[in-house]
Amino acid sequence: MARNIKILFLAAEADPFVKVGGLGDVAGSLPGALRALSPHLDVRLCIPLHRSLNLDGFEVKPFASYAVPRGGHQMPARVFETNYSGTPVYLIDGSPISSAQSVYSSDMSSDGEKYTFFSLAALELLQHVHWQPNIIHANDWHTAPTVYALHQRLSDPHYAWIKSIMEIHNLPYMGGGASPFLNAYGLHPSSNPYLPDWARHFPLPMALAATDAIVAVSPAYARELLTPEFGCGLQDFLRTRANVLCGILNGIDLVSWNPKSDPALSKNYDVDELASRIDNKASLQSTLGLPADPGIPLLAMVTRMDPQKGVDIVVEGLRQMADQSWQAIFLGTGIPYLEEAVRALQEEFPDRVRAEIRYDAHLSRQVYAGTDILLMPSRYEPCGLAQMIAMRYGCVPLGRATGGLNDSIHAYTDTLNGTGFLFDDASAEAFANCLREALLVYNDKERWSKLQRNGMSQDFSWENAAKQYSDLYRQLLNNKDVERFR
Ligand code: ADP
């Protein structure tokens, strides 16, 4: 009989409570997918009770109160419990969390305090709940101190048998600057001799040195992490941990992301009703005040405006393609100079470009359903969900051949088994060349609809990913090395 496994899943954000980016999708979906996969997987989610948390429709009950030691002080923590589709959810509150204005801040004096407190409060919670996890599954630097602190407490019988997983969604965000807060809460730098000096007091590398298993969010990203280009200075250290490193491609929520039932769309459709996409295109063009033209290729980005995502590459690349016919929608917010670059492009091409500078989940769905090509020229892309969502909606992705884009997009070839377009160099020229090729195919309706249908037929279900996580949990508890890069 399969063994029962209890997993505490820690994250800074989880949809539908709060979502800033892909991590919110993952933490919102994976725990439920694991539970659905097997009654033997008892997964519970733990997130901070951010001010902006959406708790409408959830029954929230006080669950525990205790203190987290900080120097000579005791920081009060209050935990509330709720349930999301069968998954128990713990919401941790305390002054470092309630005083923060947003989920993430560029000010480390806010985030350093908040996430160190949250991480330690989550570990402390285990003293107050009659439920002992076999595995703590932490995500990104915000929950890395839990893994590090757990490692330091392995002589405590309360924690001795708990294994840990540190999952990397985005390596460059290591929590640099959090060191004073780690110290204040009694977490001292790592003594791992393979860590570069600078990394010994960064939460993520500290946890990567201490954890039992490291997961990257795609097999390609797991391989890339070991190279100077993507390893962010940790590649040599990560090579010493390669026997516990693997990559698992994330999935998407196929119920929520379903063009057949998505209420945000003007017209629902599935793979056999692709012609209906034209209605969604027309209403998107009309909503955004773009000239109504069903034949013109409609391009889009739905993204955080961050140098990682290559927004600047698209802006420059489209300028180079001014002689061709296209329209482009940019939906996103982020770094002001990138927002400005997109606005400038709209001013330059007022009847072709729309700069929608905001987070708008409703509009994002209409964009996936109404545009022809999703642009993702990311400089690096650990996994990327937008390209999978796009394929599900019959919108063809065009991305850079890196990380999860490489693992999820099959590059178009004449044999017609492709699902999108990939290019290598992170340059406007390479992007423009690839887009030119894509537009040639776009003009051949038969080949284009084959590409769309191929994409819509891919299996990006969480079930697929959950099976791999389940195997990993079992390997870990059987003290086996993780299977690399599957
Ligand atoms: P990352 O996690 O690096 O931000 P992903 O592609 O993994 O990128 O996930 C991004 C998710 O956030 C997708 O679900 C995408 O639709 C959504 N998203 C990004 N920007 C916006 C926006 N401005 N409005 C609505 N949804 C957005």
Side-chain angles (χ1 to χ4, degrees):
M1 204 182 93
R3 166 181 180 180
N4 286 330
I5 304 180
K6 290 176 274 180
I7 302 122
L8 184 65
F9 194 93
L10 303 176
E13 51 173 299
D15 196 40
F17 302 103
V18 59
K19 171 175 151 178
V20 179
L23 174 61
D25 289 299
V26 175
S29 298
L30 180 56
L34 285 161
R35 285 186 157 262
L37 184 69
S38 162
H40 299 291
L41 294 171
D42 177 2
V43 190
R44 303 188 183 193
L45 173 66
C46 181
I47 57 172
L49 206 163
H50 298 290
R51 273 189 187 190
S52 56
L53 222 59
N54 167 26
L55 293 171
D56 291 352
F58 289 97
E59 193 187 340
V60 181
K61 289 184 279 188
F63 183 70
S65 354
Y66 48 88
V68 178
R70 186 194 199 278
H73 296 89
Q74 298 291 328
M75 300 286 289
R78 291 184 69 199
V79 183
F80 296 84
E81 185 188 27
T82 187
N83 191 291
Y84 172 53
S85 301
T87 301
V89 183
Y90 301 116
L91 309 168
I92 295 187
D93 195 15
S95 61
I97 295 171
S98 58
S99 63
Q101 299 295 330
S102 52
V103 176
Y104 304 115
S105 152
S106 50
D107 174 10
M108 208 21 111
S109 64
S110 167
D111 271 12
E113 175 77 38
K114 175 164 79 168
Y115 287 113
T116 308
F117 170 80
F118 169 68
S119 294
L120 293 179
L123 197 57
E124 203 64 38
L125 173 64
L126 303 182
Q127 309 263 16
H128 303 270
V129 52
H130 298 293
W131 181 82
Q132 207 54 20
N134 307 101
I135 295 174
I136 290 181
H137 185 153
N139 293 276
D140 279 352
W141 82 262
H142 318 95
T143 54
T146 315
V147 170
Y148 191 69
L150 173 69
H151 191 66
Q152 297 201 322
R153 293 187 198 182
L154 289 183
S155 55
D156 179 336
H158 214 90
Y159 300 103
W161 304 107
I162 305 178
K163 299 276 188 187
S164 58
I165 293 176
M166 188 67 243
E167 178 149 350
I168 304 173
H169 296 256
N170 202 330
L171 184 65
Y173 295 86
M174 297 186 201
S179 173
F181 306 100
L182 299 176
N183 271 320
Y185 282 91
L187 295 179
H188 302 300
S190 171
S191 57
N192 183 299
Y194 300 107
L195 272 180
D197 284 346
W198 58 265
R200 289 186 189 177
H201 52 92
F202 280 30
L204 184 59
M206 288 164 75
L208 293 173
T211 191
D212 295 301
I214 302 172
V215 180
V217 288
S218 67
Y221 193 51
R223 283 190 296 274
E224 289 174 350
L225 290 176
L226 305 179
T227 67
E229 190 183 351
F230 299 96
C232 304
L234 293 184
Q235 59 277 6
D236 294 339
F237 156 73
L238 285 170
R239 283 182 180 278
T240 70
R241 304 241 59 205
N243 61 326
V244 299
L245 168 67
C246 70
I248 299 178
L249 190 71
N250 289 157
I252 54 172
D253 181 339
L254 298 186
V255 176
S256 166
W257 297 109
N258 184 354
K260 186 71 186 162
S261 55
D262 190 333
L265 310 194
S266 299
K267 184 141 186 199
N268 291 109
Y269 59 93
D270 64 18
V271 67
D272 298 320
E273 301 159 310
L274 267 176
S276 300
R277 289 188 92 253
I278 215 76
D279 296 324
N280 291 298
K281 183 169 180 175
S283 79
L284 187 60
Q285 285 169 326
S286 135
T287 306
L288 298 182
L290 284 166
D293 181 345
I296 196 164
L298 183 51
L299 322 174
M301 287 191 88
V302 180
T303 187
R304 287 183 292 119
M305 297 266 177
D306 184 280
Q308 173 198 344
K309 300 292 185 178
V311 180
D312 52 320
I313 293 175
V314 172
V315 167
E316 189 43 42
L318 288 180
R319 262 193 201 111
Q320 293 180 9
M321 294 194 49
D323 57 332
Q324 299 228 3
S325 150
W326 47 261
Q327 295 175 340
I329 299 167
F330 294 82
L331 172 60
T333 74
I335 296 184
Y337 83 86
L338 291 171
E339 295 181 350
E340 203 34 59
V342 169
R343 282 201 190 94
L345 194 72
Q346 173 174 313
E347 269 171 37
E348 221 173 306
F349 299 100
D351 54 358
R352 292 194 189 195
V353 175
R354 286 297 169 268
E356 304 299 322
I357 307 298
R358 62 183 183 278
Y359 187 92
D360 187 337
H362 190 76
L363 180 60
S364 77
R365 292 172 175 277
Q366 298 171 338
V367 168
Y368 291 121
T371 56
D372 299 300
I373 303 180
L374 184 84
L375 307 174
M376 281 188 84
S378 307
R379 293 194 159 81
Y380 68 94
E381 192 57 76
C383 176
L385 299 176
Q387 80 281 10
M388 300 189 213
I389 301 170
M391 283 184 252
R392 174 103 169 121
Y393 279 64
C395 172
V396 175
L398 182 155
R400 224 190 122 223
T402 181
L405 295 170
N406 227 351
D407 283 332
S408 59
I409 300 174
H410 300 300
Y412 169 81
T413 59
D414 286 334
T415 53
L416 290 189
N417 51 13
T419 56
F421 298 86
L422 289 171
F423 64 97
D424 287 319
D425 290 348
S427 69
E429 291 70 27
F431 161 75
N433 285 339
C434 187
L435 183 55
R436 268 189 207 100
E437 184 197 338
L439 295 184
L440 284 177
V441 184
Y442 176 82
N443 288 328
D444 179 336
K445 291 303 161 213
E446 210 166 296
R447 285 200 288 166
W448 192 256
S449 80
K450 177 80 172 103
L451 266 181
Q452 291 177 297
R453 280 184 277 118
N454 288 349
M456 291 181 88
S457 313
Q458 300 294 300
D459 179 4
F460 293 125
S461 67
W462 269 110
E463 193 188 343
N464 231 343
K467 280 185 189 142
Q468 298 180 57
Y469 281 100
S470 166
D471 288 350
L472 173 67
Y473 296 151
R474 290 183 199 287
Q475 284 171 20
L476 203 54
L477 294 181
N478 290 331
N479 286 318
K480 289 204 182 127
D481 275 356
V482 302
E483 231 175 84
R484 285 182 63 195
F485 308 143
R486 56 197 164 161

